């Protein structure tokens, strides 16, 4: 019997591409909900929607750049027009491809990273708030383990700082919208087996001249559990926090990392 975790719920998902965003949208539909997909590239949205919902009855999508307030409002409006409201929003959209530390930082690029990861997420949240206030609901940020512990493999100081700021914003927002029965939580993935980590493993294996299984094994050896979390695992955590089964959970950060870091 299909899960009814999100039966009758409408969930806006930003940043839907080949990886985590697609998995979140797929989990929403799998668990009985309706997914409204946003991302900058319409072709990616169309592909994802067709795979998740071939008949097109449980999905809608619109090209959306979360640095543009009008486009955020248009995606929220689509959810209302197509499905009558919004019950949750899961923020996957992020700029995670800028690498380096502080000493070699291009702070103009840092500002753009922050505009996407922090301010863009909050823009998209604000666009959804009027609909969320009508019947309560959930906001789920996707953060990163790097926001609470320095990564040892890949240096992404700007990404970590922007996601750390987003987690701090979560606390204030949870208090602000709590009286409207809106919950705000963050999922913090660690190494997450999906397209970006697959590419890292392939690149590292090629560079070092070793099998991909060896590189993946090095990562898995860092975990308390014997393998990496997947983007599907992270999607399941996000869907749980979006659902009414998490009705008493707000202002919390949940590590989904196979036990690499325990706090």
């Amino acid at each position: 019997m299909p899960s009814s975790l999100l039966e009758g719920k409408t969930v806006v998902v930003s940043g839907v591409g080949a990886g985590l965003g697609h998995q979140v949208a797929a989990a929403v539909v799998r668990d009985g909900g309706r997914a409204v997909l946003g991302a900058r590239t319409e072709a990616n949205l169309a592909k994802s929607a067709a795979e998740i919902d071939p008949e097109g009855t449980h999905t809608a999508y619109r090209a959306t750049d979360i640095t543009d307030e009008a486009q955020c409002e248009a995606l929220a409006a689509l959810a209302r027009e197509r499905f009558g409201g919004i019950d949750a929003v899961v923020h996957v959209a992020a700029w995670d491809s800028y690498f380096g530390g502080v000493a070699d930082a291009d702070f103009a690029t840092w500002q753009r990273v922050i505009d996407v990861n922090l301010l863009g997420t909050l823009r998209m949240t604000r666009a959804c708030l009027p609909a969320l206030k009508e019947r309560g609901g959930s906001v789920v940020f996707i953060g990163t383990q790097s926001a609470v512990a320095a990564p040892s493999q890949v240096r992404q100081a700007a990404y970590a700082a922007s996601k750390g700021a987003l987690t701090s914003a979560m606390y204030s927002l949870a208090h602000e919208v709590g009286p409207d029965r809106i919950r705000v939580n963050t999922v913090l993935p660690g190494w997450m087996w999906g397209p970006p980590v697959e590419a890292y493993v392939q690149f590292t294996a090629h560079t070092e001249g070793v099998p991909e299984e060896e590189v993946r094994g090095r990562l898995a050896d860092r975990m308390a559990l014997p393998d990496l979390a997947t983007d599907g695992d992270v999607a399941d955590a996000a869907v749980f926090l979006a659902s009414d089964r998490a009705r008493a959970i707000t202002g919390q950060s949940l590590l989904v990392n196979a036990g690499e870091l325990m706090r």
Side-chain angles (χ1 to χ4, degrees):
M1 179 179 295
S3 170
S4 59
L5 190 67
L6 292 175
E7 191 68 40
K9 304 288 189 183
T10 298
V11 182
V12 173
V13 184
S14 73
V16 175
L20 179 58
H22 175 80
Q23 293 295 331
V24 170
V28 168
V29 174
R30 176 201 68 198
D31 288 351
R34 298 165 299 208
V36 179
L37 288 55
R40 290 181 302 169
T41 305
E42 187 166 1
N44 290 344
L45 294 170
K47 182 175 185 294
S48 185
E51 291 178 5
I52 294 166
D53 179 35
E55 295 182 359
T57 57
H58 291 84
T59 57
Y61 60 85
R62 176 165 289 164
T64 306
D65 182 342
I66 62 171
T67 66
D68 186 309
E69 193 155 0
Q71 292 185 41
C72 292
E73 291 173 354
L75 185 63
L78 175 64
R80 281 183 141 176
E81 292 162 7
R82 179 70 187 276
F83 298 122
I86 299 172
D87 298 287
V89 53
V90 180
H91 297 281
V92 183
W95 184 354
D96 62 358
S97 58
Y98 176 67
F99 298 91
V102 173
D104 59 351
D106 173 2
F107 285 124
T109 303
W110 274 57
Q111 286 180 318
R112 295 197 295 274
V113 170
I114 290 167
D115 192 32
V116 175
N117 296 351
L118 173 62
L119 300 180
T121 299
L122 296 177
R123 285 186 196 97
M124 191 66 244
T125 299
R126 184 165 66 179
C128 293
L129 283 180
L132 287 168
K133 287 179 179 180
E134 291 176 4
R135 52 198 186 197
S138 175
V139 176
V140 182
F141 297 151
I142 302 296
T144 175
Q145 178 177 284
S146 299
V148 295
S152 58
Q153 307 293 112
V154 178
R155 185 176 295 167
Q156 289 180 290
Y159 179 67
S162 65
K163 291 292 191 174
L166 186 61
T167 299
S168 295
M170 172 192 72
Y171 300 123
S172 295
L173 184 60
H175 272 285
E176 180 182 346
V177 300
D180 296 305
R181 298 187 181 277
I182 301 171
R183 298 173 291 104
V184 188
N185 295 287
T186 302
V187 178
L188 301 174
W191 286 95
M192 177 179 64
W193 189 250
V197 174
E198 290 175 29
Y200 167 81
V201 167
Q202 291 166 1
F203 174 79
T204 303
H206 176 75
T207 300
E208 297 182 6
V210 299
E212 292 180 18
E213 293 76 12
E214 179 179 328
V215 179
R216 180 169 177 168
R218 289 181 212 159
L219 297 177
D221 285 346
R222 302 164 59 89
M223 314 301 164
L225 297 173
D227 203 356
L228 305 179
T230 68
D231 51 10
D233 295 322
V234 175
D236 285 343
V239 164
F240 164 71
L241 290 172
S243 77
D244 290 341
R245 293 188 191 175
R247 63 177 297 274
I249 301 174
T250 196
Q252 303 300 315
S253 297
L254 176 62
L255 284 161
V256 181
N257 63 359
E260 179 184 7
L261 173 71
M262 301 183 189
R263 295 175 65 89

